[in-house]
Amino acid sequence: MVHGTHNAQEDSRNDTILISINDEFFPRNEAKISVFDSGYLVGDGVWEALRLHNGVLVFLEDHFNRLWQSAKTVGIALPFTKKELTQKIWDILNANKMKDGVHVRIMVTRGIKKTPSQDPRLTISGPNVVIIPEYKNASKESKEKGITLFTSTIRRGSPDYLDPRLNCHSKLHEVQALIQAIEAGADEALMLDVNGFVATCNATNFFMIKNGEVWTSTSKYCMNGITRAKVIEVCKDNNIPCFEKDFSLFDVYGADEAFVTGTFGGLTPVTKIDGRQIGDGKYCKMTRNLSSLYEGLIERTVANG
């Protein structure tokens, strides 16, 4: 069984979900796209993921702002407004009669190519838009157990060649980092920046706690995670010292607690890094408190519609 921040509870309803491809709905086993799609050929696309809680798409504006920025960065002209994309999401959610506990993945590629090539001028269609909604809740058992990390030799790159904030389909370097971690016996990978400071994980943002302070990396070399930003927000709102700063493995190995953040799993505790136990090696008090504060923020967001 796969163990990690994306370990979800099994839900048989996902076997029969409908998936939206360019506004047409297809059963899961019939949802297909051309091998000439830009995303398949050269990883030329952007994506976003968000959650449906009690009938509300949580932090929708934040996710859309990131999607629009990513598309602008790679020169993909999104063929819809934010209002129109919201309706597209609700159309597929309603078709599946979904109201709660849903993870929605939105993928936009440059479109169909005339022939296999990187050249965007050989694209012969408009962007392809795929929306995959799934009943998907994080495994409570995995969260209580926590995850282990291994520090990869694959570095998070500088923004002058592939900005880490770009939510693009080209994730091969993160996959390589994860493979290293798995082969080392860990669940996921911790990644350093080009200067050797802790940057992020392969698919989540990293935080550590020391002497009542919450530390996370600067935004220079990490994903601009929505959950990351919300954790920083709840720290400030609750007078919890939180610092975005450079720190190294020297600091991490001596942390009292550590956790990672992501839209799917929320806050997930880290129990070991590079074989070294972090603190008590458990899901500890301050991480639990921060997780509760984050969940409270979601509940207030849902209540406000």
Side-chain angles (χ1 to χ4, degrees):
M1 181 178 179
V2 174
H3 177 67
T5 55
H6 288 81
N7 188 23
Q9 298 174 12
E10 290 293 330
D11 196 318
S12 61
R13 291 176 296 178
N14 288 323
D15 296 341
T16 56
I17 59 167
L18 296 173
I19 292 170
S20 174
I21 302 177
N22 296 327
D23 299 327
E24 292 187 58
F25 299 165
F26 300 89
R28 186 187 190 105
N29 62 354
E30 296 177 19
K32 299 176 176 64
I33 202 158
S34 171
V35 295
F36 288 96
D37 174 71
S38 298
Y40 176 76
L41 288 175
V42 291
D44 186 2
V46 295
W47 63 275
E48 197 56 55
L50 57 152
R51 293 194 62 78
L52 177 70
H53 281 282
N54 294 324
V56 174
L57 293 166
V58 179
F59 309 136
L60 181 64
E61 190 65 23
D62 298 282
H63 286 285
F64 276 7
N65 287 342
R66 188 168 64 177
L67 178 64
W68 257 256
Q69 181 64 44
S70 293
K72 184 72 173 178
T73 299
V74 299
I76 294 177
L78 297 178
F80 40 68
T81 64
K82 292 179 180 178
K83 182 177 180 180
E84 289 169 339
L85 180 56
T86 302
Q87 187 58 55
K88 292 176 189 293
I89 295 170
W90 277 112
D91 286 345
I92 190 64
L93 289 172
N94 290 334
N96 283 297
K97 298 181 173 60
M98 291 171 158
K99 298 182 184 301
D100 187 37
V102 177
H103 183 266
V104 183
R105 177 84 169 225
I106 306 157
M107 295 173 285
V108 184
T109 69
R110 196 175 302 275
I112 303 298
K113 286 283 200 299
K114 180 179 180 180
T115 186
S117 171
Q118 294 180 0
D119 195 331
R121 294 170 295 184
L122 294 175
T123 308
I124 58 175
S125 77
N128 285 317
V129 183
V130 176
I131 305 174
I132 304 176
E134 292 182 301
Y135 293 104
K136 205 169 180 183
N137 286 307
S139 167
K140 293 180 181 178
E141 181 182 352
S142 290
K143 187 160 186 171
E144 285 295 325
K145 180 181 178 182
I147 63 166
T148 61
L149 301 178
F150 172 79
T151 304
S152 172
T153 61
I154 309 292
R155 300 295 180 96
R156 294 295 294 192
S158 60
D160 58 351
Y161 72 92
L162 184 61
D163 196 306
R165 295 173 296 175
L166 179 61
N167 242 13
C168 65
H169 282 205
S170 303
K171 293 291 183 182
L172 188 57
H173 63 302
E174 287 141 318
V175 173
Q176 287 178 288
L178 179 55
I179 289 171
Q180 278 191 337
I182 293 170
E183 290 178 343
D187 298 315
E188 297 186 9
L190 184 64
M191 301 179 72
L192 308 181
D193 66 26
V194 295
N195 299 305
F197 294 112
V198 172
T200 187
C201 295
N202 60 282
T204 53
N205 288 108
F206 179 82
F207 287 77
M208 61 166 277
I209 298 167
K210 185 70 173 179
N211 298 327
E213 296 179 351
V214 179
W215 295 6
T216 191
S217 63
T218 70
S219 59
K220 294 177 183 177
Y221 300 99
C222 75
M223 297 170 285
N224 55 337
I226 306 301
T227 309
R228 174 185 184 271
K230 299 304 178 185
V231 168
I232 293 171
E233 179 182 325
V234 298
C235 283
K236 292 179 179 177
D237 290 345
N238 290 275
N239 298 314
I240 298 170
C242 183
F243 301 96
E244 297 176 75
K245 59 188 289 185
D246 287 330
F247 57 93
S248 71
L249 291 173
F250 176 89
D251 303 293
V252 168
Y253 294 151
D256 298 324
E257 300 178 40
F259 62 91
V260 297
T261 61
T263 294
F264 173 64
L267 279 68
T268 304
V270 175
T271 58
K272 285 186 178 181
I273 299 176
D274 300 334
R276 294 167 173 84
Q277 180 175 296
I278 301 301
D280 293 334
K282 300 176 182 177
Y283 188 3
C284 292
K285 183 177 180 180
M286 193 160 180
T287 301
R288 287 183 184 275
N289 182 44
L290 289 169
S291 183
S292 178
L293 291 172
Y294 170 70
E295 294 297 331
L297 177 61
I298 290 178
E299 293 305 316
R300 291 194 298 277
T301 302
V302 170
N304 292 331

